[in-house]
Amino acid sequence: MNRIDAPGTSEGEWRAWPGLAGLPLLDVSRWRNAVVVAAHPDDEVLGVGGLLAQLDIPVRLIAVTDGEKSHPHLPPAEITAVRRAETEAALAHLGDCEVHRLGMPDADVRDDELTPVLKELVRGFDVCLAPWEYDAHCDHEAAGRSALAAGAAGGVEVLRFPIWAWHWAKPADPAMPWADALRVPLTPDAAARKRAAIGCFTSQLGTILPPAIVEHFERDQEVLFR
Ligand SMILES: [Zn+2]
């Protein structure tokens, strides 16, 4: 069984760990704009939805896939339309965002295809936020690696956000780079807007995102790795 399908760590265990609240703060004061890479519709909201709600700067979202593999029994065009609409509804809670959809194949994102596209789309931005390259989901990892490569080529700082790691890792887990972790405290307003945004992903809630997973993303802070 892979780490995502195996039983995971409860949000109660994470909240009981003082290490999370003790992380240094991420300084966003010098950002004039930001670009976010999402492997699937919902990654951007789960990973940095609260941060996006708090930023008042131009934001570009790069949606790498449409997440069509989440419902393999449905025609891809049908689930693609559903998931695109869910993202649009979710983003409406978080502020203005320019969306680029790449339509790459879900569960089959390739670094050699994504990296050159990201090089063009992240150029000139102050910061790029992307899935963590060791998140244990192949698309998250490909998106993270490609973002790092694109950022390095263009001189753009890339911060990575864990998603599935909150499920499979444990507090103080040596698999996570805590020395490079920064936290973003969320205002009650930003946390509420993030919760509302998560609520838009009805095709995922209950099945792929059961309540025990969603709880990880209802915290009053987010964590990124530098
Ligand atoms: Zn994802």
Side-chain angles (χ1 to χ4, degrees):
M1 190 185 288
N2 71 39
R3 285 179 288 175
I4 289 175
D5 294 332
T9 302
S10 74
E11 179 57 13
E13 288 172 76
W14 283 111
R15 290 185 195 202
W17 181 48
L20 273 189
L23 296 173
L25 295 173
L26 172 66
D27 178 11
V28 304
S29 62
R30 281 198 292 270
W31 295 358
R32 294 161 302 173
N33 49 40
V35 56
V36 183
V37 178
H40 312 105
D42 72 13
D43 292 336
E44 68 291 270
V45 173
L46 298 174
V48 289
L51 173 57
L52 295 181
Q54 289 175 183
L55 289 175
D56 192 18
I57 56 175
V59 173
R60 168 180 289 174
L61 171 68
I62 303 170
V64 178
T65 81
D66 292 317
E68 69 276 7
K69 285 275 170 61
S70 70
H71 293 68
H73 55 287
L74 289 180
E78 195 175 313
I79 187 63
T80 292
V82 167
R83 298 204 65 180
R84 286 185 175 205
E86 288 175 352
T87 309
E88 242 170 73
L91 292 175
H93 289 284
L94 305 179
D96 287 340
C97 186
E98 171 208 4
V99 181
H100 285 254
R101 298 188 184 281
L102 305 186
M104 290 190 174
D106 188 11
D108 196 19
V109 175
R110 293 177 45 152
D111 296 46
D112 59 346
E113 290 177 358
L114 181 55
T115 302
V117 179
L118 291 187
K119 278 183 183 170
E120 297 300 318
L121 289 175
V122 310
R123 187 182 295 146
F125 278 84
D126 283 346
V127 67
C128 173
L129 313 176
W132 182 40
E133 68 276 17
Y134 297 105
D135 201 42
H137 186 296
C138 59
D139 291 340
H140 292 193
E141 297 190 350
R145 285 190 305 262
S146 300
L148 279 169
V156 179
E157 183 184 22
V158 182
L159 301 173
R160 287 91 68 214
F161 49 84
I163 293 179
W164 284 107
W166 297 121
H167 169 72
W168 59 256
K170 290 183 165 46
D173 199 319
M176 292 178 86
W178 298 112
D180 294 324
L182 300 166
R183 69 189 181 95
V184 179
L186 303 184
T187 63
D189 172 66
R193 288 162 67 190
K194 179 178 182 178
R195 276 197 299 278
I198 292 173
C200 296
F201 294 104
T202 47
S203 73
Q204 310 297 299
L205 295 170
T207 51
I208 291 157
L209 296 175
I213 296 289
V214 171
E215 277 181 21
H216 296 311
F217 306 101
E218 294 175 336
R219 286 179 201 159
D220 59 2
Q221 66 171 26
E222 292 170 342
V223 174
L224 296 101
F225 302 129
R226 63 186 155 203

